[in-house]
Amino acid sequence: MLVIDNISKVFNPGTVNEKKALDGMNLTVKDGDFITIVGSNGAGKSTLFNAISGVFLPDSGRILLDDKNITFEPDYKRSKYIGRLFQDPLKGTAPHMTIKENLALAYLRAGETRVFSRISKKDEERFRDKLKMLDMGLEDRMNTQVGTLSGGQRQALTLLMATIVPPRLLLLDEHTAALDPAAAVKIIDLTEKIVAANNTTCLMITHNMHQALRTGNRTLMMADGRIILDLSEEERKAVTIEDLMIRFREGAKQELDDDRILLSD
Ligand SMILES: Nc1ncnc2c1ncn2[C@@H]1O[C@H](COP(=O)(O)OP(=O)(O)OP(=O)(O)O)[C@@H](O)[C@H]1O
Ligand SMILES: [Mg+2]
């Protein structure tokens, strides 16, 4: 459903800071795939997501979604069918608005044409049902300002907002990295539940090797703007964290920032 065809992106070309962030990258994603992506710092993972979501145009190559060439489609149009989460739970929600106002915004972003000038009782019921799914009691706090929620609660809400109208493609960029371990586990569980419920096609960047091999059905490793390892569901079963680390070290060609690579649960 998604084809990344020979995409390249060079930052600061012709200067001392020139950086080839994507180097003739190719990737074909099947409908319903849940792909985890690992790679050292600066490998080009977030740049890949920026290219897919239209934050900038690639220097060359094409991006096709459902056979449609979206390479030059502006990001605000893509945001109707591509959901994206970041590491920072502060991104993706409006802190000074209430939970229910944020949910109304999420429907608008996804292209619901009705204007929520006033949130009706019926809307509130709909929001309540959605919030219950998070199992955090947020359905009883719909008038709470989002800025006062914990990081985990806020990331759960962001996940709900990004998927409230199921996107065609969900991009998760280390969306659990800033959370404490218990909250991270909860958000991963929720992610798997929501992705499975809608059979959403999903790409998830993570620095947690266990999470990468355990979540989804395919794992990619990136280095220097390319994919250096592509493991199918079957191949992942045979691979150990140690194997992955060896490839990681080869790919990184540099001292690893071991602090950021999580080898434990
Ligand atoms: N807007 C930008 N301007 C200049 N250079 C950039 C820009 N965005 C990314 N880069 C550079 O491109 C390279 C790839 O960056 P990217 O953010 O994609 O890495 P990453 O794989 O997501 O790394 P991390 O694991 O640290 O998040 C890096 O060298 C980065 O400094
Ligand atoms: Mg990144």
Side-chain angles (χ1 to χ4, degrees):
M1 56 87 75
L2 175 71
V3 177
I4 306 289
D5 178 18
N6 205 16
I7 289 284
S8 291
K9 180 73 193 176
V10 179
F11 288 112
N12 307 312
T15 72
V16 286
N17 291 323
E18 180 169 303
K19 174 74 203 176
K20 205 168 212 180
L22 292 176
D23 187 7
M25 163 112 190
N26 291 297
L27 173 66
T28 300
V29 177
K30 286 203 209 99
D31 200 8
D33 267 349
F34 187 162
I35 300 178
T36 58
I37 304 175
V38 296
S40 56
N41 298 125
K45 305 178 298 294
S46 298
T47 303
L48 171 67
F49 279 14
N50 281 333
I52 295 172
S53 49
V55 174
F56 51 66
L57 300 181
D59 299 332
S60 58
R62 294 184 312 158
I63 301 172
L64 308 178
L65 191 83
D66 293 324
D67 299 325
K68 188 177 143 205
N69 188 343
I70 61 162
T71 317
F72 300 108
E73 190 169 66
D75 56 350
Y76 69 90
K77 282 196 179 155
R78 295 190 215 187
S79 71
K80 285 195 185 1
Y81 54 84
I82 298 177
R84 189 169 183 191
L85 258 74
F86 299 89
Q87 183 172 335
D88 183 355
L90 302 181
K91 287 190 182 175
T93 48
H96 299 299
M97 293 171 84
T98 63
I99 291 179
K100 71 180 181 192
E101 288 165 345
N102 270 273
L103 289 177
L105 279 181
Y107 278 105
L108 291 178
R109 180 201 52 79
E112 191 158 313
T113 47
R114 198 159 55 86
V115 177
F116 285 89
S117 56
R118 193 176 148 274
I119 297 167
S120 68
K121 278 273 166 286
K122 207 167 155 231
D123 293 327
E124 279 195 25
E125 279 312 306
R126 179 157 69 140
F127 294 173
R128 189 180 300 279
D129 284 345
K130 295 281 184 187
L131 286 164
K132 268 190 196 150
M133 230 172 50
L134 304 181
D135 196 22
M136 289 179 164
L138 296 183
E139 63 276 15
D140 299 321
R141 300 178 61 188
M142 281 205 285
N143 292 315
T144 300
Q145 277 203 1
V146 167
T148 66
L149 299 179
S150 73
Q153 290 169 335
R154 200 153 164 183
Q155 201 64 318
L157 185 65
T158 310
L159 180 63
L160 180 63
M161 287 171 66
T163 55
I164 205 154
V165 175
R168 191 70 186 98
L169 181 66
L170 181 62
L171 304 176
L172 306 171
D173 194 343
E174 297 192 56
H175 70 312
T176 65
L179 306 176
D180 64 75
V185 167
K186 170 109 206 194
I187 295 296
I188 282 292
D189 288 349
L190 267 176
T191 303
E192 289 182 316
K193 194 168 128 188
I194 289 174
V195 165
N198 303 310
N199 196 29
T200 304
T201 308
C202 180
L203 306 182
M204 179 177 91
I205 297 169
T206 177
H207 272 91
N208 184 319
M209 296 290 161
H210 284 274
Q211 205 180 70
L213 288 180
R214 223 185 271 142
T215 318
N217 64 336
R218 181 177 167 194
T219 296
L220 307 177
M221 185 180 290
M222 284 185 67
D224 295 325
R226 287 165 170 273
I227 293 168
I228 58 162
L229 189 65
D230 183 349
L231 300 172
S232 68
E233 193 156 29
E234 280 307 305
E235 289 166 330
R236 292 201 316 177
K237 286 181 191 144
V239 117
T240 64
I241 300 285
E242 288 68 35
D243 296 336
L244 213 55
M245 286 309 295
I246 291 167
R247 292 302 299 265
F248 203 104
R249 291 210 163 81
E250 287 169 3
K253 289 192 225 113
Q254 65 190 39
E255 274 309 299
L256 278 177
D257 177 7
D258 274 325
D259 289 350
R260 290 208 64 216
I261 304 162
L262 296 178
L263 300 172
S264 65
D265 289 337

